[in-house]
Amino acid sequence: MSARVVVLDYGSGNLRSAQRALARAGADTEVTANADAALECDGLAVPGVGAFAACMTGLRAVGGDKLIARRLELGRPVLGICVGMQVLFSAGLEHGVRTEGCAAWPGTVERLSAGVLPHMGWNTVAAAPGSVLFAGIPPETRFYFVHSYALRAAGAGELTRAGALISWTEHGEQFAAAAERGVLSATQFHPEKSGDAGAMLLSNWLGTL
C-alpha cells in the first residue's frame, strides 16, 4: 500500500506542487489542515515559502506547531521544505526582528552573507555521510534553491552536537541545505522543483515511512 502523506495546509503558496511531487513519488497524498489527518498519517510534509514570521503565524493559526511537536513525540515522520525547514528551528531573524520557531531543532535562521540574494537557481549539495535523504544520489547533483535565509554553518554547532546529519551547500558562505535526525527531516531547497534528483530524494523519504 502507498504511504499516506498529508501536506499541511497553513496558507503557504507551494502546497499543490509539493503534493504533486509526492504523489509522483508514490505517496497517497492529501492537502489539509485537519489535525486528526495530520497526526495519524504516515508522513507529514510541511512546505513553506516567503517570510519566516508569516509562515509561523500561519502554522500557529492551524495548530501546526503543536501537530509537529506531537508527531515527533510519537515517532511519526515529518519533512520540512524550504521555509518549512526554517520554521523547525528555534527562531528566525529577519530585518532585525526575531520570531520564535517550532524549536524542534536548535539554531537560528539568519540572512546569508552573500553578494547576490536571493540564492536562486541550481546548486550542488555535499550530502552528510549516512544520509537517508541522499541515498543513491550521485555527488555533484544539483537541486533548486530560492531563499535568502538559512541555518548558517557558524550557527549549526548545537544542531551537530544534538546528533543531526547536516548536508551543506555554499552561496557566499556555507549553510545547511538539509538536515536529518530521527523521524525529522528537512531540505532548504525545493525537491518538488529539482527534477529527477528531487523525485529520488522524496522517494527515499517515503521509503522510511
Side-chain angles (χ1 to χ4, degrees), residues 120-148:
M120 181 181 296
W122 298 85
N123 206 339
T124 57
V125 175
S131 167
V132 173
L133 291 179
F134 292 93
I137 298 176
E140 302 305 312
T141 296
R142 294 180 178 272
F143 295 86
Y144 190 79
F145 291 82
V146 184
H147 66 113
S148 298

Side-chain angles (χ1 to χ4, degrees), residues 25-51:
D28 177 9
T29 62
E30 178 184 10
V31 176
T32 184
N34 180 273
D36 290 337
L39 191 59
E40 294 170 6
C41 61
D42 298 316
L44 179 68
V46 185
V49 294

Side-chain angles (χ1 to χ4, degrees), residues 82-137:
C82 197
V83 184
M85 172 177 178
Q86 296 177 11
V87 296
L88 297 172
F89 291 102
S90 299
L93 190 61
E94 293 177 326
H95 309 295
V97 178
R98 178 185 171 92
T99 301
E100 298 303 310
C102 294
W105 280 328
T108 299
V109 171
E110 300 175 282
R111 185 177 174 88
L112 291 174
S113 178
V116 176
L117 288 173
H119 172 215
M120 181 181 296
W122 298 85
N123 206 339
T124 57
V125 175
S131 167
V132 173
L133 291 179
F134 292 93
I137 298 176

Side-chain angles (χ1 to χ4, degrees), residues 146-161:
V146 184
H147 66 113
S148 298
Y149 296 80
L151 180 73
R152 302 163 68 193
E158 194 174 353
L159 180 60
T160 301
R161 289 190 292 274

Side-chain angles (χ1 to χ4, degrees), residues 3 7 10 27 31 35 55 71 88-89 101 103 123 138 147 165 168 182 185 195 208:
V7 178
Y10 64 99
V31 176
C55 282
R71 281 190 65 89
L88 297 172
F89 291 102
N123 206 339
H147 66 113
L165 298 179
W168 300 100
S185 304
T208 69

